[in-house]
Amino acid sequence: MKPSTPKGTRDFTPSQMRKRDYLFGVLREHFQKFGYAPIETPAMENLSTLTGKYGEEGDQLLFKVLNNGDFLAKADAAALEARYSKTAVASLSKRGLRYDLTVPFARFVVQHQNELSFPFKRYAIQPVWRADRPQKGRYQEFYQCDADVVGSDSLVYEAELVRLFERVYTALGLRVVIRINHRGILAGLAEIAGAKDKFIEVVTAIDKLDKIGAERVGEELQSKGMSAAGATQLLEMLTESSLEKWTDSLAETDEGKHGAAELKKVLGLVAAMNPDQRVEFDPTLARGLSYYTGCIFEVVVDTTVPGQENIKMGSIGGGGRYANLTEAFGGRDMSGVGISFGAERIYDVLEEMDAWPDTVRTGRKILLAAMDEENLAWAFAKTDELRSAGIAADCYPDAGKPKKPMKYADKEQIPFVALIGSREREAEQLSVKELATGE
Amino acid sequence: MKPSTPKGTRDFTPSQMRKRDYLFGVLREHFQKFGYAPIETPAMENLSTLTGKYGEEGDQLLFKVLNNGDFLAKADAAALEARYSKTAVASLSKRGLRYDLTVPFARFVVQHQNELSFPFKRYAIQPVWRADRPQKGRYQEFYQCDADVVGSDSLVYEAELVRLFERVYTALGLRVVIRINHRGILAGLAEIAGAKDKFIEVVTAIDKLDKIGAERVGEELQSKGMSAAGATQLLEMLTESSLEKWTDSLAETDEGKHGAAELKKVLGLVAAMNPDQRVEFDPTLARGLSYYTGCIFEVVVDTTVPGQENIKMGSIGGGGRYANLTEAFGGRDMSGVGISFGAERIYDVLEEMDAWPDTVRTGRKILLAAMDEENLAWAFAKTDELRSAGIAADCYPDAGKPKKPMKYADKEQIPFVALIGSREREAEQLSVKELATGE
């Protein structure tokens, strides 16, 4: 019997955990500095909370927890008889594992609304579970890291979140491009191209530009009933990246005008803080528009920066403004804006660039080792003194020749070793060897 | 529809999270200083990993995750037909939620044994799930915090873990008593009292001394077939708390002699470090002896200390030496010793004593608020400057009269507010008001 984790899940070893803790630590530090407060929700939610929030595909990817005890006693007999899993599940399971952090957050806001002050700014760093087919880089358990503010429609928060992106990635040693767009821009575009009633089809097609190119997007637009002229006009407009020009082009559409004005304001606030960051208006950015109602963001690695040219990775962050976070839970009308850091992908990028700080290499600074039994207690007491002085120290548990502790320190990348014999104990002095230099 | 968390589970609001983060932070800091490395295992384990490790009662308290997709297609038809849940479950679920951190740790050690160096010292701070009937203070999801070392039988680690207990509780502002005993002491006692073959019955009875008193424990011992004289002798010996006297009494029993000698060595190592801590040999300590094979520990609040007299709480920490952690997973014979911090109970004690540091009160140090629209961008830019200087700052999103931001700061316990009008902006100066003093 060879023990293993379930398919699609992973253990994290100490060397991985030190890197993950560093990454989450940088996120946490910045979330807090920006005034976001931590919350946690339970791993299990009622299925009534989760179901129907992620589309039909999402519902099928929910992990469902079997009811406890004699669960068959209350099961839907007809569904069992007919072996109809989809119907039976409601009577066999009433809880599921968290699928993302957004739906639990919405539930949390409604449930605790009387305890909270609005605007409410929260962050969460927790695992989520999805019964996706496991493949390279895709797991059934992975962490999400979200920051959201709800209860205000002030554009100050859009600017703040762009800045938060920039501060975090900079702290991690990554140069990124932050792309920004607005639902209104795309709505105005659809209107001008004569497809106002086909907004979702238009953005779905535009979202594929990167992958399939303009020609095939044009074909898709036409297959959805758009005129050839409209499709051509639309694709041509999308090559324009000046917000000023878009503002002019969309001046006659309400949504377009509104979107361009909001974007301009956000970009102005952002520019006042950090002219060094690449924040780019990208009219082709069309992510999550079944959900987002205002600004939308996406972060990618800046591959024009030396050392980052070869990083092949999609978006490592994203977010946007949404209108009615709490609607599904009967909460009052509440606008919000939020961002997600793609922590698992950021980890992979940092790994590829070997951009980890030295501190993640080992948890221990020094290993003390007694050369003979009579000095072991002294070595142990000295280890304890070092710890009390704030130094992560360890004592090799068995007295004896240096070979074993030296090998252990080497494998564990503990940078210093102190070998302790009677001479050291009598002199009350440690002689410390640095393994890297041998000194 | 009133949304809620599933029965027995909880949300943690920002004010609770700040306290929990502080508590876990103290634990993490000390684990690391003592040379323990972090690991994480997935929330879901294969049921083959979990089942049979916690006794029959434990098996029933495991949360089982329903297989994905058309789970009834592969279900045990006969068991479904007969509505026999216990048999059906194996064909409906192959994964369960982590029930503790020990079994996943054992599985981890075997699975990764070739990547690890031994002795392997790890800590883990993760939630576990148990389908217990929820009641006050008992939840279906709660955190465990464990530190273990495996692959060495050196008693240095027993002493180290006692010290780790002491350092953590002291850092949290709690004075505790650390009780220590040894399986050998109880085995020797059973032998002397003529009940060598009734070890488990003897320790099960002794474990109830606190709850039901000596008389009823005596009755229980006799009901298990012990002679009246043996029971009386055993109970009398247990009133003796001098390890020296126990050493003498048990000199003729192999296990007793061994246990007393080990305890003496551990207590000697501990005493050399911190004579200030109450570490007490307690021969009546009889916890977890179906599992522990050497020293056993238990930590309780020291109610003789001023300010702690009224704390009613059982054990807030415990642990011990075990023999074959990895046996169930086919691992090689490996001794280990580990401790657990009862984080949820420690939280309750700190709450009752109001022993939290000031830092948990709020995440934000200062709130900036613009009195009119034209100063909002400037207020926002200043907020950003404060954040860049390492100060957790926030900007109230709407310009206007001071009433709303002041009320918000008050409710959120943000200690300082800066109101920003044109005068401040022109002078490039913030005037900061401390809410507590009004200055």
Side-chain angles (χ1 to χ4, degrees):
Chain A
M1 171 194 181
K2 167 84 179 151
S4 66
T5 58
K7 206 179 51 156
T9 68
R10 308 164 277 180
D11 286 325
F12 297 111
T13 61
S15 60
Q16 294 166 322
M17 277 301 292
R18 279 193 292 269
K19 292 172 181 172
R20 292 175 70 85
D21 281 346
Y22 157 74
L23 172 55
F24 293 140
V26 168
L27 285 166
R28 208 167 272 129
E29 180 200 327
H30 284 85
F31 288 153
Q32 288 171 1
K33 216 147 57 181
F34 276 67
Y36 291 78
I39 72 163
E40 271 188 23
T41 61
M44 288 186 279
E45 292 278 352
N46 291 318
L47 277 177
S48 57
T49 298
L50 300 175
T51 308
K53 308 300 191 301
Y54 307 105
E56 201 179 326
E57 197 201 4
D59 282 352
Q60 280 170 36
L61 299 182
L62 291 173
F63 279 109
K64 290 152 193 106
V65 176
L66 202 54
N67 293 339
N68 294 109
D70 186 9
F71 57 89
L72 286 179
K74 290 178 196 155
D76 178 337
L80 286 188
E81 211 87 352
R83 296 284 181 280
Y84 198 52
S85 299
K86 274 194 190 176
T87 312
V89 70
S91 66
L92 292 169
S93 166
K94 53 177 188 283
R95 280 161 299 203
L97 296 183
R98 177 170 64 224
Y99 180 87
D100 72 357
L101 303 183
T102 304
V103 167
F105 174 51
R107 196 261 312 139
F108 177 98
V109 168
V110 175
Q111 190 175 332
H112 301 276
Q113 53 189 319
N114 298 326
E115 303 154 53
L116 304 175
S117 312
F118 294 94
F120 176 55
K121 299 170 72 173
R122 86 85 174 79
Y123 74 86
I125 299 178
Q126 292 195 275
V128 302
W129 295 270
R130 297 183 182 181
D132 259 318
R133 188 178 299 276
Q135 49 179 257
K136 192 177 178 309
R138 192 205 277 168
Y139 298 96
Q140 296 194 336
E141 173 179 74
F142 58 96
Y143 273 73
Q144 288 194 335
C145 310
D146 287 12
D148 287 82
V149 49
V150 289
S152 167
D153 50 17
S154 171
L155 296 174
V156 157
Y157 291 122
E158 272 82 345
E160 175 174 286
L161 290 170
V162 167
R163 178 65 159 170
L164 177 56
F165 267 141
E166 183 264 324
R167 295 275 81 190
V168 166
Y169 291 111
T170 301
L172 293 170
L174 269 180
R175 298 302 306 257
V176 295
V177 184
I178 303 172
R179 295 181 184 147
I180 183 168
N181 196 9
H182 195 289
R183 183 194 183 94
I185 296 280
L186 294 164
L189 175 65
E191 187 176 339
I192 281 184
K196 195 177 176 179
D197 55 335
K198 295 200 175 62
F199 178 71
I200 287 298
E201 290 86 343
V202 167
V203 296
T204 306
I206 290 175
D207 198 25
K208 296 179 188 161
L209 263 174
D210 265 0
K211 273 186 215 139
I212 62 174
E215 195 172 333
R216 288 183 52 201
V217 169
E219 287 163 20
E220 182 170 327
L221 288 170
Q222 288 180 57
S223 79
K224 299 288 176 192
M226 206 165 162
S227 72
T232 306
Q233 183 193 12
L234 185 147
L235 286 165
E236 210 175 281
M237 278 185 78
L238 283 174
T239 60
E240 176 58 62
S241 62
S242 150
L243 182 56
E244 292 306 319
K245 294 207 176 133
W246 276 90
T247 307
D248 294 342
S249 306
L250 300 181
E252 302 301 311
T253 68
D254 285 349
E255 286 188 85
K257 197 173 145 185
H258 170 73
E262 287 209 343
L263 268 185
K264 191 178 168 193
K265 186 158 180 200
V266 170
L267 289 170
L269 284 165
V270 168
M273 290 182 296
N274 186 22
D276 219 29
Q277 169 64 39
R278 280 181 65 188
V279 181
E280 295 180 353
F281 164 55
D282 179 356
T284 70
L285 179 62
R287 64 196 301 272
L289 283 169
S290 60
Y291 180 63
Y292 294 129
T293 55
C295 282
I296 47 180
F297 313 112
E298 184 176 68
V299 183
V300 293
V301 173
D302 186 347
T303 51
T304 66
V305 169
Q308 299 189 166
E309 298 92 340
N310 300 318
I311 304 293
K312 304 238 180 310
M313 184 63 82
S315 132
I316 55 170
R321 163 76 62 180
Y322 41 83
N324 274 311
L325 177 75
T326 59
E327 198 175 25
F329 299 107
R332 59 191 168 88
D333 185 11
M334 213 182 279
S335 178
V337 54
I339 60 173
S340 277
F341 288 83
E344 309 280 354
R345 286 184 166 189
I346 297 169
Y347 182 100
D348 290 344
V349 170
L350 296 179
E351 191 75 7
E352 195 178 333
M353 290 171 56
D354 195 17
W356 303 106
D358 269 356
T359 48
V360 307
R361 270 213 217 132
T362 179
R364 290 171 287 192
K365 272 267 176 319
I366 183 166
L367 181 72
L368 282 70
M371 316 274 280
D372 28 55
E373 201 59 48
E374 75 210 58
N375 293 310
L376 184 58
W378 192 78
F380 178 58
K382 288 295 127 181
T383 307
D384 186 64
E385 272 180 42
L386 288 168
R387 290 169 180 165
S388 295
I391 296 164
D394 226 337
C395 179
Y396 197 75
D398 307 307
K401 297 228 172 83
K403 198 178 158 191
K404 277 169 76 178
M406 292 301 275
K407 196 176 151 195
Y408 180 83
D410 188 53
K411 193 169 171 202
E412 290 287 293
Q413 301 198 47
I414 304 174
F416 298 98
V417 172
L419 299 173
I420 292 167
S422 299
R423 208 172 52 185
E424 282 76 13
R425 176 161 61 105
E426 277 151 26
E428 291 254 348
Q429 252 183 346
L430 302 182
S431 32
V432 173
K433 183 171 187 159
E434 184 171 12
L435 262 66
T437 61
E439 274 172 34
Chain B
M1 172 194 180
K2 166 83 180 152
S4 66
T5 58
K7 206 178 50 153
T9 68
R10 308 164 276 180
D11 287 325
F12 297 111
T13 61
S15 61
Q16 293 166 322
M17 277 301 293
R18 279 192 292 268
K19 292 172 180 172
R20 293 175 71 85
D21 282 345
Y22 157 75
L23 172 56
F24 294 140
V26 168
L27 285 166
R28 208 167 273 129
E29 180 200 328
H30 284 85
F31 288 153
Q32 288 171 0
K33 215 146 59 181
F34 276 66
Y36 291 78
I39 72 163
E40 272 188 22
T41 61
M44 287 186 279
E45 293 277 352
N46 291 318
L47 277 177
S48 57
T49 298
L50 301 175
T51 308
K53 307 302 190 302
Y54 307 105
E56 201 178 326
E57 197 202 4
D59 282 352
Q60 281 170 36
L61 300 183
L62 291 172
F63 279 109
K64 290 152 193 106
V65 176
L66 202 55
N67 293 339
N68 294 109
D70 186 8
F71 57 89
L72 285 180
K74 289 177 197 157
D76 178 336
L80 285 189
E81 211 87 350
R83 295 283 182 280
Y84 197 52
S85 299
K86 274 194 190 175
T87 312
V89 70
S91 65
L92 292 170
S93 166
K94 53 178 189 283
R95 281 161 298 203
L97 296 183
R98 178 169 63 224
Y99 180 87
D100 72 358
L101 303 182
T102 303
V103 167
F105 175 50
R107 195 262 311 139
F108 177 98
V109 168
V110 175
Q111 190 176 332
H112 301 277
Q113 54 190 318
N114 298 327
E115 303 154 53
L116 304 175
S117 312
F118 294 94
F120 176 55
K121 299 170 71 172
R122 86 86 174 79
Y123 75 85
I125 300 179
Q126 291 195 274
V128 302
W129 295 270
R130 297 182 183 181
D132 260 318
R133 188 179 299 277
Q135 49 180 257
K136 192 179 176 310
R138 192 204 277 167
Y139 297 96
Q140 296 194 336
E141 173 179 74
F142 58 96
Y143 273 74
Q144 287 194 334
C145 309
D146 286 12
D148 286 82
V149 48
V150 290
S152 167
D153 51 17
S154 171
L155 296 173
V156 157
Y157 292 121
E158 272 82 346
E160 174 174 285
L161 291 170
V162 167
R163 179 63 160 171
L164 178 54
F165 267 142
E166 184 262 325
R167 294 276 81 188
V168 166
Y169 290 112
T170 300
L172 293 170
L174 269 180
R175 297 303 306 256
V176 296
V177 184
I178 302 172
R179 295 181 183 147
I180 182 168
N181 196 11
H182 195 289
R183 183 192 182 96
I185 296 280
L186 293 165
L189 175 65
E191 186 175 342
I192 282 184
K196 196 177 176 179
D197 56 333
K198 295 199 174 64
F199 178 71
I200 287 299
E201 290 87 342
V202 166
V203 296
T204 306
I206 290 175
D207 198 27
K208 296 179 188 161
L209 263 175
D210 265 1
K211 273 186 213 137
I212 62 175
E215 197 172 331
R216 288 183 53 200
V217 168
E219 287 163 20
E220 181 169 327
L221 288 169
Q222 289 180 55
S223 80
K224 299 288 176 192
M226 206 166 163
S227 72
T232 305
Q233 184 194 10
L234 184 148
L235 286 166
E236 211 175 280
M237 278 185 77
L238 284 174
T239 61
E240 176 57 61
S241 61
S242 152
L243 182 57
E244 291 306 319
K245 293 205 176 135
W246 276 89
T247 306
D248 294 343
S249 307
L250 301 181
E252 301 302 311
T253 69
D254 285 350
E255 287 188 84
K257 196 173 147 188
H258 169 73
E262 286 209 345
L263 269 185
K264 190 178 167 191
K265 184 156 181 203
V266 171
L267 289 171
L269 284 165
V270 169
M273 289 181 297
N274 185 23
D276 219 29
Q277 169 64 39
R278 280 182 64 190
V279 181
E280 295 180 353
F281 164 56
D282 179 356
T284 69
L285 179 62
R287 66 195 301 271
L289 283 169
S290 59
Y291 181 63
Y292 294 128
T293 56
C295 282
I296 47 179
F297 313 111
E298 184 177 68
V299 183
V300 292
V301 173
D302 186 346
T303 50
T304 68
V305 169
Q308 299 189 167
E309 298 93 339
N310 300 317
I311 304 293
K312 303 238 180 311
M313 183 64 80
S315 133
I316 56 170
R321 164 75 63 179
Y322 42 83
N324 274 311
L325 178 75
T326 60
E327 198 176 27
F329 300 106
R332 60 191 168 88
D333 186 10
M334 212 182 279
S335 179
V337 54
I339 60 174
S340 277
F341 288 83
E344 309 280 353
R345 286 183 166 190
I346 297 169
Y347 182 99
D348 290 344
V349 170
L350 295 179
E351 191 75 7
E352 195 177 333
M353 290 171 56
D354 195 17
W356 303 106
D358 270 355
T359 48
V360 308
R361 266 208 223 138
T362 180
R364 291 171 287 191
K365 272 267 177 319
I366 183 167
L367 181 72
L368 281 70
M371 316 275 279
D372 28 55
E373 201 59 48
E374 74 209 58
N375 294 309
L376 184 59
W378 192 79
F380 177 59
K382 288 295 127 181
T383 307
D384 186 65
E385 272 181 43
L386 289 168
R387 289 169 181 164
S388 294
I391 296 164
D394 225 336
C395 179
Y396 197 76
D398 306 308
K401 297 227 171 84
K403 198 178 157 190
K404 276 169 77 179
M406 291 301 276
K407 196 177 151 194
Y408 180 83
D410 188 53
K411 193 171 171 201
E412 290 287 292
Q413 300 199 46
I414 304 173
F416 297 99
V417 172
L419 299 174
I420 292 167
S422 299
R423 209 172 54 186
E424 282 76 13
R425 177 161 60 105
E426 277 150 26
E428 289 255 350
Q429 251 183 347
L430 302 182
S431 33
V432 174
K433 183 172 186 158
E434 184 172 12
L435 262 65
T437 60
E439 272 171 36

